Amino acid sequence: MILRYIELTQPASVPMMSKRYFFKTLFLFFYCILFRKPKYFPGGLHSNDHLYQFQCQKYSTASLALRSDLSSKTLMFSVEGALLKSSSLFPYFMLVAFEAGSFLRAFVLLLLYPFICLVSEETGLRIMVMVCFFGIKKESFRVGSSVLPKFFLEDVGLEIFNQVLRRGVRKVSVSELPLVMIESFLKDYLEIDVVVGRELKVFHGYFVGLMEEEEKNIIGLEEILRENKAVGTNIIGINGLHKVHGHHQLFSQHCKEIYLVDKADKRSWQNLPREKYPRPLIFHDGRLALLPTPLNALALFVWVPFGFVLSISRLLISLSLPTDISIPLDAFLGMHLTAPAMPKTPHSLYPNTSKEFIHKSKGVLYACNHKTLLDPIFLSVILKSSSLRGVSYSLSRVSEMLSPIKTVRLTRNRDQDARTIESLLNQGDMFICPEGTTCRESYLLRFSPLFAELAEEIVPVAIDSHVTMLYGTTAGGLKCLDPFFFLMNPAPSYTVQFLEKVSGSCTYLNGEKSKFDVANHVQGEIGKALGFECTKLTRKDKYVILAGNEGIVSRK
């Protein structure tokens, strides 16, 4: 083929086997094979791509959004070319390598990034799939449903989704990414009807790092195609202009109208705000708090050794030194702790009531929302009380040993837990997190009413935390490492706000104020102080969604 190409393109006045011309053409041939798509040679694999683009209409967000017939149309769109603002898929594979694999796997992927940039898009995609998925157990892979949706949602274009895609009666997404990475994000959060992606090969329950050549998840698409053919409705396709994907045959075969999205249009899009998500993102897992672009990933790997030393230093200072000394030192090392003044006068839940109260003989119970395992430590630091006691539903042995205050484990047996809490209240002040687990987003889970039934004086405490690099909570990882990851951040911050005291249900005669009323009131007050939304979701809901279990931590 190469000799035939030379013969056709060489001028008649130049000898056919000119040494200089031969090596020049040979270099061009191998350059196209290794680093570019073979589009310079007649009959190449992508010889019809330009014809495909010329047959499509130039997409304009404003013009397509003004169409009045979108509510009766089926929309087929490319995830990478027409939904996500970013054109790079590397950060999402880095998330898979880091969260589902290991630190070493993510580092190998970062080292291969320059080579991935040199080869063709398809070859680079296959390299990233091999590095990220080889040897990963299929049943335990939850990154696609617990980690990736958060970062995908933050990259969705507001104009294309809210003004165009959301109006379609049926929505079909087409992607070059593996299905295990995008299916949950598209179906669970964007309510997409059909997702067409790449299947991964599996051997004895483990991914082998290879993708299937043919798409296998097109059953739902075939049903939609039959329905549209029966009613005589055309399918509108939306694809990328500068990035024609391997699935463009689906667009050319089934779409009579195809609009192309330009990169310039993408840059003008706004990010889809959280309040416009079709379904709210309440739970997500993973350690990385930042999108691992190549530069962010490089900064992360450079910072980790320093962050580990900084985490140990902060922990030793807090555990070994008095509060008056440890607080300034932690602030010097980048810790930010904000604590507004605590109200001094008790305040009843119903201050205008004339009911008599039982004599208060128990300690004060601090009811907090839960952000990290460090909540009781910061609370005791602010109160300057080493005698504060607390309870927890699940606590690893390492975290229990490192805790500077006494922490008692609850058993989920209501009668036994009630006796434990009442015994601690008789000994003095204590804290409890009625949510039973942490929630990273601006939501409060349902408060268990047990604390409101036993306590006489309750102080609601609103807690919020902020990290920039690593999360200090996890649902599927090792909980004993949570404090270390939180303290590894360059400048983690904590805000603790004490609210007005309320009275527990046991302080009211005749049981007129139930424990549920008190628990809901405490939840509502904390939600107002933080600007969080109160939900009825429970601890069990979180762990079933993110980890496939009930979140029980073994003491062994």
Side-chain angles (χ1 to χ4, degrees):
M1 183 182 72
I2 180 65
L3 295 178
R4 179 60 178 167
Y5 176 77
I6 295 174
E7 181 181 356
L8 294 176
T9 57
Q10 177 179 282
S13 59
V14 180
M16 176 180 177
M17 298 302 295
S18 171
K19 185 176 180 180
R20 179 180 179 184
Y21 194 83
F22 174 78
F23 283 109
K24 180 179 179 181
T25 310
L26 189 64
F27 171 77
L28 177 63
F29 175 74
F30 284 108
Y31 179 82
C32 294
I33 291 179
L34 293 176
F35 303 115
R36 292 290 185 269
K37 297 179 181 180
K39 58 185 179 180
Y40 297 104
F41 296 94
L45 295 177
H46 297 268
S47 59
N48 294 326
D49 288 353
H50 295 290
L51 178 61
Y52 166 77
Q53 291 186 4
F54 287 134
Q55 291 176 347
C56 302
Q57 302 181 36
K58 175 64 174 65
Y59 168 71
S60 173
T61 304
S63 61
L64 191 56
L66 293 176
R67 291 187 56 163
S68 59
D69 59 343
L70 290 182
S71 59
S72 61
K73 296 289 185 179
T74 296
L75 303 180
M76 181 186 295
F77 65 94
S78 168
V79 176
E80 298 86 0
L83 178 67
L84 302 179
K85 293 184 60 179
S86 174
S87 59
S88 175
L89 301 179
F90 176 82
Y92 305 111
F93 282 99
M94 177 59 73
L95 286 167
V96 174
F98 190 91
E99 304 292 357
S102 61
F103 189 86
L104 178 60
R105 189 188 294 259
F107 185 68
V108 171
L109 181 62
L110 181 62
L111 292 179
L112 290 175
Y113 176 72
F115 180 73
I116 294 173
C117 294
L118 293 176
V119 299
S120 64
E121 293 180 1
E122 178 66 17
T123 304
L125 179 64
R126 292 183 179 275
I127 292 174
M128 292 189 290
V129 169
M130 173 60 71
V131 174
C132 296
F133 286 95
F134 178 76
I136 300 296
K137 193 173 182 180
K138 181 180 179 180
E139 292 184 357
S140 61
F141 184 82
R142 293 186 173 273
V143 174
S145 58
S146 61
V147 178
L148 293 178
K150 170 186 180 294
F151 296 95
F152 277 129
L153 286 170
E154 292 175 350
D155 196 27
V156 173
L158 170 64
E159 288 79 3
I160 183 65
F161 179 76
N162 199 48
Q163 300 178 14
V164 178
L165 296 179
R166 200 169 185 180
R167 294 171 54 192
V169 63
R170 292 182 182 87
K171 297 170 283 292
V172 179
S173 63
V174 177
S175 175
E176 290 293 315
L177 292 172
L179 277 174
V180 293
M181 291 179 61
I182 60 170
E183 191 169 21
S184 178
F185 150 65
L186 294 169
K187 287 188 174 181
D188 297 341
Y189 294 96
L190 296 187
E191 300 177 345
I192 303 301
D193 300 297
V194 178
V195 179
V196 179
R198 308 287 287 270
E199 290 282 359
L200 296 178
K201 294 183 179 181
V202 179
F203 181 75
H204 289 288
Y206 290 86
F207 294 118
V208 297
L210 299 175
M211 295 186 293
E212 299 284 355
E213 294 296 335
E214 297 180 358
E215 298 77 21
K216 296 183 177 181
N217 192 37
I218 59 175
I219 298 177
L221 176 60
E222 292 176 348
E223 295 178 358
I224 289 182
L225 293 176
R226 286 195 298 267
E227 292 178 4
N228 282 268
K229 187 176 181 180
V231 298
T233 304
N234 297 331
I235 299 178
I236 298 178
I238 309 174
N239 203 349
L241 176 61
H242 298 289
K243 189 175 182 180
V244 181
H245 303 275
H247 290 290
H248 71 268
Q249 293 85 355
L250 292 175
F251 290 92
S252 59
Q253 292 175 6
H254 305 296
C255 303
K256 292 188 176 181
E257 297 180 79
I258 303 177
Y259 294 82
L260 297 180
V261 181
D262 196 354
K263 288 185 178 180
D265 296 329
K266 281 189 172 186
R267 287 192 291 267
S268 64
W269 290 350
Q270 300 179 10
N271 294 98
L272 184 67
R274 292 179 179 271
E275 59 271 14
K276 291 187 180 294
Y277 290 173
R279 298 179 64 177
L281 177 71
I282 300 177
F283 300 127
H284 59 86
D285 202 14
R287 290 295 189 185
L288 293 181
L290 76 170
L291 182 66
T293 61
L295 289 178
N296 287 344
L298 179 61
L300 175 66
F301 285 109
V302 172
W303 171 257
V304 163
F306 300 98
F308 179 77
V309 175
L310 185 61
S311 175
I312 299 298
S313 302
R314 289 167 171 171
L315 188 63
L316 291 177
I317 289 174
S318 300
L319 295 178
S320 60
L321 297 179
T323 303
D324 295 337
I325 301 177
S326 63
I327 291 180
L329 287 178
D330 284 335
F332 177 77
L333 294 178
M335 287 286 299
H336 298 279
L337 177 61
T338 304
M342 179 180 175
K344 298 181 179 180
T345 57
H347 181 76
S348 173
L349 175 60
Y350 300 95
N352 297 327
T353 182
S354 59
K355 296 291 183 180
E356 297 180 357
F357 296 106
I358 300 176
H359 176 67
K360 297 179 176 60
S361 59
K362 299 180 179 180
V364 176
L365 186 145
Y366 295 92
C368 319
N369 65 303
H370 201 5
K371 299 305 291 185
T372 72
L373 290 176
L374 299 176
D375 294 344
I377 298 178
F378 285 108
L379 185 62
S380 63
V381 167
I382 295 172
L383 295 175
K384 298 182 179 180
S385 173
S386 59
S387 60
L388 187 68
R389 297 169 175 83
V391 293
S392 175
Y393 283 97
S394 291
L395 190 67
S396 66
R397 174 63 70 180
V398 175
S399 300
E400 194 172 2
M401 293 173 59
L402 293 176
S403 177
I405 62 177
K406 182 179 179 181
T407 305
V408 180
R409 186 189 303 269
L410 297 180
T411 62
R412 293 188 181 83
N413 183 304
R414 187 185 182 281
D415 295 334
Q416 184 175 349
D417 292 342
R419 290 193 295 268
T420 301
I421 294 176
E422 189 168 11
S423 174
L424 292 176
L425 283 173
N426 290 330
Q427 298 175 28
D429 298 344
M430 65 167 290
F431 80 92
I432 188 173
C433 297
E435 287 180 292
T437 187
T438 59
C439 185
R440 296 175 177 176
E441 298 299 321
S442 56
Y443 296 93
L444 292 180
L445 307 186
R446 183 179 68 86
F447 277 29
S448 173
L450 183 60
F451 77 97
E453 179 182 359
L454 303 173
E456 297 177 358
E457 286 188 358
I458 303 172
V459 176
V461 183
I463 298 178
D464 199 6
S465 63
H466 178 71
V467 295
T468 56
M469 189 171 289
L470 298 166
Y471 283 116
T473 60
T474 182
L478 296 175
K479 290 185 174 295
C480 61
L481 299 179
D482 287 357
F484 295 97
F485 276 104
F486 179 83
L487 296 175
M488 282 177 64
N489 285 279
S493 64
Y494 238 88
T495 301
V496 180
Q497 182 178 357
F498 295 91
L499 307 180
E500 293 183 338
K501 287 185 179 181
V502 299
S503 299
S505 61
C506 65
T507 61
Y508 290 89
L509 297 177
N510 302 323
E512 291 187 4
K513 307 304 176 185
S514 71
K515 58 183 179 180
F516 301 102
D517 296 332
V518 177
N520 291 336
H521 176 81
V522 172
Q523 182 195 34
E525 291 300 309
I526 295 178
K528 291 179 182 178
L530 296 173
F532 288 3
E533 181 179 347
C534 300
T535 71
K536 295 183 180 180
L537 297 173
T538 63
R539 179 180 187 277
K540 182 178 179 180
D541 296 328
K542 170 188 171 180
Y543 280 93
V544 169
I545 293 173
L546 297 182
N549 56 57
E550 296 186 7
I552 300 176
V553 178
S554 175
R555 292 177 63 89
K556 295 183 180 180

